[in-house]
């Protein structure tokens, strides 16, 4: 007992939280009980001094809030309940007493008697308007806990509880309290008999509608307006008894409210009308239709219009909700629904007018409302529009009719797809079934006229997408008619080509055999076996369009297989080795390039869609591709080998990379092994399927290899780049292999195309196998940097090429946040003071932040998140410092401009150190102005980057620091508007706007 007294007296003197914790620990250990605490507090609880009484109750409530639930028995709870209820009568102790009660009601041993006593005491003594928000929150928390855990007791109290709660909730405005108040009200309305208090609950809920609350900035409580709206809607829709009282409120808000208020009202009606029931909906139906019609026929904005249509659909469903499916037929539909349909039919008789579009939206709402209603409205609209279409006097309005019918078809389709409907045992019949034949005929006829062709394609697409509506033979008929558009000249059908292909693609996903037999033969007929002459413009236009169409349509496995066979056959003819130079080599290469591009684009789509049939082309397609290219690579320079063209090799490499990306580790290892065997050992049998025609040795990695063989190295690169990190490279020492590759790349005879292929391999292997190439990385830092990168005695071009190689290795480490990247970056910074290669090094520093086509997730590269931000934060201060203090400040500014140009805007806007930039504001402005002038800076990339950086400064540097330069900047930017490069002029316009604003 002495311990409890000591803790109480100590807290009363110091109010330290530690005394509360010690008291709780004593109760938990059984050293004393909570009743002992009450006894120790006796003199304070009964003190005539208000401050002491309040502190006494406050200490008890603090201990109770932390006390273990199992330490209080029923007797203790009874004593505490009586005590706290008595303290509610004391205005000085009401706040800590409510705090204590909010804790006490959560204890499991509290009984029905205490619950009633607590509520009666609250209803009698608590005057909510006299309390602050935090204290009112205790009241709502107490009632919320009791209605959750002791609902039956509250039901026994009946009107006493309901009337008491209403009295407490009246006038509450704080959003934190309202969230609890709405939750309590909903439970009461749903589970209690509130018939005698309907108007009372109506008053304390509908008074908040609509919610106009806007949370303050940095709101610590995280209550949004949408949270309040959702909670209130649940209250408004809690009981059918609100119907007669609530709908007039909704109608008033629809009439006089803002667009936002109208949308909130419409959303509330969507939830409430089904609860209020069909009788109330019928009673107010005409009034609601009048309000909704105004939002549809005279819309203020698209969102409100769509909300009104959704509410109309809910209204129609609700009105007929009490009728069984068998009890309603099209012949028995009357009242509001028939009146609305009649009104819309009148407007549809003039399809070219805006009222017809609005009426069709209403009919579309019917289409998704209710079975018989849907059939009734859709059949009437379809019949009327079909008659209108065939009326010779209405021929000028046919395009409008077809567009309206397309909207109707889409509405009848709803959210259904062939995939979803196939999983249903009893798919619903479409309300368009009776009109399908007439619709199909109308749409096919519309394809013949230019004015109606495009809307007809949209209508057919919607029709085909409707599950279980169009039969297979009808799909074949549609394909037959639509494919005829492909025979027309490209200029004649340019406006409808995309939509035509879209329709055929939909059919291809459902019934590809129709395209295989009817569409593909037409398209393949436009692909000649020999290259069209240069003056055959129309023939070239036809094959370009045909290849583009084939690439779009042949994504399905069956169609893609046909495409591969036919296009490879064309390539064999075009790329055959020709001893004669009489053929149009450039034209033939362009035709072959177009074919390869079509194949690559289709593969790209299939890989993105993760089609399961792609891996099989590792055996069916890749050997043929390697044979095609290696035949050309091994051909004598005296003969024409179209496939040796680097542009064709580049597309072929993409095809190989795409197929390889879909292979598992085992199959990739097999592919990598045969590719290594071909390129390092000259064994080309496996990679070409043993069909290679040439007997010339294949050794592209020899320093004296022919240019054609060296160019073919890009195929090797594409295989390695796409391999997974688990794939083992079939060489004894990866570091040695990479070192030899660098030597091959640095050979003076290497072209940009060849060095790029080598760089891709370097980047990929270093990124995925960094632990296996530590010797290579150390040699790069120590030997290569001295012998080549910084060696001023070798030609400048060799050093510039070395910087490109350095970028590849550095980026491979940078994207995986490897610590070795920093050392490589340091070497680039050292080169900024070398006048021979400083600009190349500056570009390299900026370009390291660029996205790389080699190091991607698709190629299974190791990528760490935020590596660009980390790099930016590392090099930005160094560049700013160098721009201020270095003798070669221009190189630093070039690097800075390239860096800003390379990183996403979100990075430099949030990460740019504004204080540091402000320090160098004058230097940066003048330097950037100099670097964006055509007379001073020949490189358009630097000029554009400098302008982009210049445009950032007004948002980064304080106004008083930048204002002295405003006039000069605007004057010089006006001159740059005449720059010969459009990209530069565009950045100048943006920068000028930033400074003039």
């Amino acid at each position: 007992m002495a311990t409890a007294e000591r803790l109480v007296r100590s807290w009363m003197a110091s109010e330290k939280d530690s005394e509360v914790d010690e008291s709780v620990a004593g109760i938990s250990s059984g050293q004393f009980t909570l009743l002992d605490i009450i006894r120790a507090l006796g003199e304070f609880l009964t003190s005539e001094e208000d401050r002491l009484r309040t502190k006494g109750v406050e200490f008890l409530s603090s201990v109770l809030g932390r006390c273990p639930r199992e330490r209080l028995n029923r007797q203790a709870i009874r004593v505490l309940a009586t005590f706290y209820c008595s303290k509610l009568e004391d205005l000085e102790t009401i706040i800590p007493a409510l705090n204590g009660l909010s804790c006490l009601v959560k204890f499991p041993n509290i009984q029905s008697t205490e619950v009633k006593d607590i509520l009666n005491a609250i209803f009698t003594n608590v005057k909510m308007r006299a309390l602050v928000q935090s204290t009112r929150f205790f009241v709502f928390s107490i009632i919320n806990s009791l209605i959750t855990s002791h609902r039956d007791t509250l039901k026994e109290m009946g009107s006493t509880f309901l009337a008491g709660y209403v009295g407490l909730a009246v006038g509450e405005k704080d959003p934190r309290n309202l969230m609890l108040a709405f939750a309590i009200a909903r439970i009461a309305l749903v589970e209690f008999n509130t018939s005698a208090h309907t108007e009372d609950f109506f008053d304390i809920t509908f008074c908040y509608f609509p919610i106009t609350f806007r949370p303050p900035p940095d709101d610590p409580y995280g209550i949004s307006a949408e949270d309040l709206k959702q909670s209130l809607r649940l209250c408004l829709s809690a009981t059918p008894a609100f119907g007669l009282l609530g709908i007039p409120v909704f109608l008033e808000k629809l009439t006089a409210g803002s667009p936002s208020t109208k949308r909130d009202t419409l959303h509330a009606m969507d939830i409430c009308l089904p609860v209020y029931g069909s009788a109330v909906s019928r009673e107010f139906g005409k009034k609601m239709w009048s309000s909704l019609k105004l939002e549809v026929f005279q819309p203020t904005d698209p969102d409100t219009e769509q909300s009104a249509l959704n509410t109309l659909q809910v209204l129609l469903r609700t009105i007929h909700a009490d009728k069984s499916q068998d009890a309603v037929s099209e012949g028995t539909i009357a009242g509001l629904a028939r009146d609305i349909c009649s009104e819309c039919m009148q407007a549809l008789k003039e399809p070219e007018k805006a009222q017809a579009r609005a009426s069709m939206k209403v009919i579309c709402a019917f289409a998704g409302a209710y079975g018989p209603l849907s059939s009734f409205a859709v059949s009437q609209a379809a019949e009327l529009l079909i008659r209108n279409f065939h009326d010779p006097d209405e021929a000028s309005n046919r395009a409008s009719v077809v567009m309206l019918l397309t909207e109707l078809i889409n509405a009848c389709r709803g959210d259904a797809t062939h995939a979803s409907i196939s999983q249903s045992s009893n798919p619903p019949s479409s309300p368009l079934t009776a009109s399908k034949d007439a619709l199909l005929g109308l749409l096919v006829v519309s394809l013949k006229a230019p004015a109606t062709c495009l809307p007809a394609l949209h209508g057919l697409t919607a029709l085909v997408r409707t599950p279980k509506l169009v039969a297979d033979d009808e799909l074949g008929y549609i394909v037959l008619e639509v494919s005829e558009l492909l025979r027309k000249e490209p200029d004649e059908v340019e406006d409808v080509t995309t939509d035509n292909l879209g329709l055929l693609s939909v059919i291809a996903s459902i019934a590809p055999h129709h395209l295989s037999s009817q569409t593909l033969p037409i398209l393949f007929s436009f692909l000649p076996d020999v290259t069209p002459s240069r003056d055959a413009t129309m023939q070239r236009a036809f094959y370009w369009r045909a290849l583009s169409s084939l690439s779009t349509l042949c994504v399905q496995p069956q169609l893609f297989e046909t495409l591969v066979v036919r296009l490879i056959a064309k390539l064999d003819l075009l790329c055959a080795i020709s001893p004669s130079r009489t053929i149009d080599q450039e034209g033939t290469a362009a035709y072959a390039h177009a074919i390869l591009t079509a194949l690559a684009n289709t593969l790209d789509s299939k890989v993105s869609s993760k089609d399961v049939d792609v891996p099989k082309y590792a055996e069916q397609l890749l050997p043929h591709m390697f044979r095609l290219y290696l035949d050309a690579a091994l051909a004598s320079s005296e003969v024409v080998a179209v496939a040796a063209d680097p542009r064709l090799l580049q597309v072929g490499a993409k095809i190989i990379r795409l197929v390889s990306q879909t292979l598992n580790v085992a199959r990739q290892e097999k592919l990598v092994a045969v590719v290594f065997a071909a390129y390092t050992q000259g064994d080309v049998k496996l990679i070409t399927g043993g069909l290679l025609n040439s007997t010339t040795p294949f050794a592209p990695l020899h320093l004296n290899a022919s240019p054609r063989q060296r160019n073919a190295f890009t195929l090797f690169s594409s295989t390695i780049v796409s391999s997974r990190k688990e794939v083992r490279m079939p060489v004894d020492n990866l570091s040695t292999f990479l070192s030899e590759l660098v030597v091959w790349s640095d050979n003076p005879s290497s072209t940009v195309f060849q060095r790029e292929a080598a760089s891709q391999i370097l980047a990929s292997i270093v990124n995925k196998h960094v632990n296996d190439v530590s010797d290579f990385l150390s040699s790069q830092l120590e030997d290569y940097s001295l012998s080549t990168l910084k060696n001023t005695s070798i030609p400048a071009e060799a050093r510039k090429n070395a910087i490109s190689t350095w970028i590849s290795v550095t980026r491979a480490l940078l994207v995986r946040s490897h610590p070795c990247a920093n050392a490589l970056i340091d070497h680039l910074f050292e080169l900024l003071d070398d006048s021979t290669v400083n600009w190349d090094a500056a570009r390299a520093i900026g370009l390291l932040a660029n996205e790389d086509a080699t190091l991607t997730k698709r190629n299974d590269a190791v990528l760490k998140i935020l590596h660009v931000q980390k790099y930016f934060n590392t090099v930005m201060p160094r560049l700013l410092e160098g721009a201020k203090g270095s003798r070669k400040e221009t190189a630093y500014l070039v690097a800075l401009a390239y860096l800003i140009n390379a990183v996403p805007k979100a990075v430099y806007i949030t990460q740019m150190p504004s204080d540091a930039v402000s320090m160098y504001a004058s230097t940066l402005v003048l330097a950037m102005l100099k670097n964006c002038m055509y007379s001073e800076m020949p490189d358009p990339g630097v000029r554009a980057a400098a302008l982009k950086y210049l445009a950032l400064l007004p948002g980064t540097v304080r106004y008083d620091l930048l204002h002295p330069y405003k006039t000069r900047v605007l004057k010089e930017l006006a001159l740059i508007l005449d720059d010969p490069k459009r990209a530069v002029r565009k950045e100048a316009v943006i920068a000028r706007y930033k400074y003039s604003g």
Side-chain angles (χ1 to χ4, degrees), residues 802-819:
I803 290 176
S804 298
T805 301
W806 199 268
I807 291 176
S808 300
V809 177
T810 306
R811 184 184 284 121
L813 297 169
L814 183 66
V815 297
R816 61 175 295 155
S817 299
H818 196 278

Side-chain angles (χ1 to χ4, degrees), residues 364 367-368 374 378 405-421 428-432 458-470 506 510:
C364 290
S374 176
V378 169
L405 284 170
T406 299
E407 288 185 34
L408 186 63
I409 297 168
N410 276 319
C412 293
R413 181 171 66 89
D415 296 328
T417 62
H418 284 268
S420 65
I421 220 72
S429 60
S430 171
L432 288 171
H458 294 165
L460 286 169
T461 303
L463 203 66
V464 168
R465 286 180 179 274
T466 306
K468 306 297 182 182
L469 182 61
V470 183
V506 172
I510 305 168

Side-chain angles (χ1 to χ4, degrees), residues 40-358:
L41 283 167
E43 63 180 282
F44 302 107
L45 299 177
T46 59
S47 173
E48 293 184 2
E49 190 175 341
D50 295 342
R51 185 180 64 85
L52 292 178
R53 289 201 315 278
T54 302
K55 288 183 66 176
V57 179
E58 185 181 338
F59 177 75
L60 178 62
S61 297
S62 298
V63 173
L64 181 63
R66 305 182 196 181
C67 184
R69 302 291 167 86
E70 67 277 2
R71 302 306 298 181
L72 261 67
N73 55 29
R74 291 185 180 181
Q75 179 189 359
I77 288 178
R78 178 62 186 167
V79 171
L80 286 168
T82 303
F83 167 76
Y84 278 124
C85 287
S86 67
K87 290 302 176 183
L88 292 179
E89 301 172 4
D90 185 348
L91 291 177
E92 300 300 327
T93 59
I94 190 170
I95 294 175
L98 287 170
N99 185 10
L101 284 172
S102 69
C103 302
L104 184 65
V105 295
K106 296 176 183 177
F107 280 77
N109 289 331
I110 190 168
Q111 299 299 299
S112 175
T113 303
E114 288 85 53
V115 170
K116 293 178 181 179
D117 290 344
I118 291 170
L119 287 173
N120 286 325
I122 289 175
F123 295 153
T124 303
N125 299 301
V126 175
K127 310 302 179 186
M128 294 288 272
R129 294 186 181 181
L131 302 176
V132 297
Q133 179 275 328
S134 57
T135 307
R136 299 198 306 274
F137 185 79
F138 287 140
V139 177
F140 285 112
S141 297
I142 291 167
I143 297 176
N144 185 57
S145 297
L146 293 177
I147 205 170
T148 301
S149 305
H150 301 276
R151 197 167 301 170
D152 291 339
T153 301
L154 272 58
K155 288 180 181 179
E156 290 176 13
M157 295 178 67
S159 292
T160 302
F161 167 71
L162 297 173
Y165 172 72
V166 169
L168 293 173
V170 168
E172 181 56 57
K173 294 181 180 179
D174 189 89
R176 290 163 288 178
N177 295 346
L178 285 175
M179 290 295 291
L180 283 177
F182 291 156
I184 294 167
R186 174 169 174 78
I187 295 174
L189 289 165
V190 171
E191 299 201 24
F192 289 61
N193 181 7
T194 59
S195 56
H197 301 276
T198 298
E199 291 191 13
D200 294 334
F201 275 91
F202 175 83
D203 291 338
I204 66 168
T205 53
F206 271 82
C207 66
Y208 298 105
F209 183 82
I211 295 289
T212 56
F213 167 72
R214 288 185 180 179
D218 302 322
D219 179 22
Y221 304 104
I223 297 175
S224 67
E226 190 59 33
D227 294 333
L228 285 169
K229 289 177 183 180
Q230 290 180 1
S231 296
L232 179 58
R233 285 172 195 152
L234 292 175
C235 285
L236 305 187
S237 60
T239 174
F242 279 170
L244 293 174
L245 300 171
I247 290 180
V249 175
F250 292 147
L251 293 175
E252 178 190 349
K253 301 301 181 184
L254 280 178
T255 303
S258 65
S260 176
T261 297
K262 289 180 178 180
R263 287 192 293 273
D264 286 344
T265 303
L266 293 167
H267 293 160
M269 291 174 71
D270 292 346
I271 297 173
C272 293
L273 288 179
V275 177
Y276 295 168
S278 58
V280 174
S281 296
R282 276 195 292 270
E283 181 176 342
F284 290 95
K286 289 188 177 180
K287 291 182 179 180
M288 286 191 279
W289 163 239
S290 296
S291 296
L292 295 173
K293 179 171 65 174
L294 193 64
E295 302 303 328
V296 176
F297 284 80
Q298 299 177 29
T300 55
D301 62 87
D303 291 337
T304 306
E305 178 190 27
Q306 186 57 51
S307 296
L309 290 167
N310 294 340
T311 303
L312 175 61
Q313 193 174 89
V314 172
L315 173 63
L316 293 170
R317 286 174 176 166
T318 303
I319 288 176
H320 294 84
D322 59 350
K323 300 179 182 179
S324 66
Q325 188 81 3
D326 298 332
V328 180
S329 64
E330 293 184 26
T332 63
I333 291 173
L336 180 64
R338 185 175 288 274
D339 292 343
I340 294 174
C341 282
S342 298
E343 192 173 340
C344 292
M345 293 307 134
Q346 288 299 318
L348 288 176
K349 290 179 180 178
E350 297 178 300
E352 75 282 4
K353 294 186 176 180
Q355 295 294 299
R357 293 291 304 274

